[in-house]
Amino acid sequence: MKPEKVAGWCIKFGISEIIFHIDTDSVESILKYIDTLKEISKIAELTLCYEDKTEVLGSGAHVSVAIGKSGREEIINAIKKMAADGINPEDVSENTIESYLNFKFEPDLVIKTGGSHLTDFLIWQSVYSELFFSDVNWKEFRRVDLLRALRDYQLRKRRYGK
């Protein structure tokens, strides 16, 4: 499945903040698909994050694609930046940590395709997110699978950790 197609479905359903995470140990193996991923910028503002690069293209709904990013690594880097900036440990709060993270949004819904294994991406930001596990692998993900996830989300009572 092309992320551009899924992003288009989301936008048609009124979802204006979308992030795709491509879990890989070898970012180089994904680089040949960068031009395909950039097609998302034809229908939305695309933020493409891979290696040490961040590219922003297009306009419209916000779609981010993060390739090979780790939530644990993001938190470690945030702590290192705080230390480099001389932040007193007594002054560290949730807001301080969040201000140093690369990804600044908290998703309402995380859809995990291909089974029940989660990655650590957005580990801080997704603590109150609703999780939907689909046995359908990403390559076979269809519009109906997205609709199932959205219907499931609509039926849930959000508790935000309470």
Side-chain angles (χ1 to χ4, degrees):
M1 178 54 50
K2 287 178 128 181
E4 178 186 7
K5 189 172 251 186
V6 177
W9 297 336
C10 290
I11 292 166
K12 285 181 182 174
F13 296 141
I15 300 168
S16 60
E17 294 278 342
I18 305 151
I19 186 162
F20 295 97
H21 176 243
I22 300 172
D23 185 27
T24 182
D25 292 330
S26 172
V27 174
E28 297 78 29
S29 68
I30 303 297
L31 293 180
K32 60 187 172 190
Y33 300 107
I34 293 293
D35 288 338
T36 301
L37 292 169
K38 287 182 179 181
E39 290 177 16
I40 295 171
S41 68
K42 294 177 183 175
I43 62 167
E45 179 185 275
L46 170 66
T47 303
L48 184 58
C49 304
Y50 60 100
E51 296 175 323
D52 290 332
K53 300 175 186 152
T54 300
E55 297 179 50
V56 180
L57 310 159
S59 63
H62 301 282
V63 178
S64 296
V65 177
I67 302 170
K69 298 298 180 183
S70 160
R72 290 178 182 195
E73 194 174 278
E74 181 184 25
I75 292 169
I76 290 167
N77 289 337
I79 292 168
K80 288 178 180 179
K81 289 177 193 172
M82 285 188 287
D85 288 349
I87 303 291
N88 183 333
E90 304 297 323
D91 297 331
V92 174
S93 66
E94 284 186 28
N95 290 335
T96 308
I97 293 170
E98 289 167 359
S99 72
Y100 278 85
L101 295 174
N102 296 327
F103 299 97
K104 307 284 187 203
F105 44 85
E106 298 174 357
D108 292 317
L109 175 64
V110 174
I111 300 172
K112 173 62 180 98
T113 60
S116 61
H117 173 73
L118 276 177
T119 67
D120 70 353
F121 182 66
L122 295 182
I123 195 168
W124 179 279
Q125 299 91 325
S126 64
V127 69
Y128 297 127
S129 300
E130 296 295 320
L131 305 176
F132 182 85
F133 296 93
S134 172
D135 289 336
V136 176
N137 190 297
W138 173 250
K139 292 177 183 177
E140 286 84 38
F141 196 77
R142 304 161 299 169
R143 185 175 180 269
V144 70
D145 299 310
L146 177 62
L147 288 169
R148 283 186 185 119
L150 295 175
R151 182 184 64 215
D152 181 83
Y153 173 77
Q154 288 176 328
L155 296 173
R156 295 182 186 194
K157 180 180 178 191
R158 302 288 311 270
R159 294 186 305 253
Y160 301 97
K162 296 178 183 164

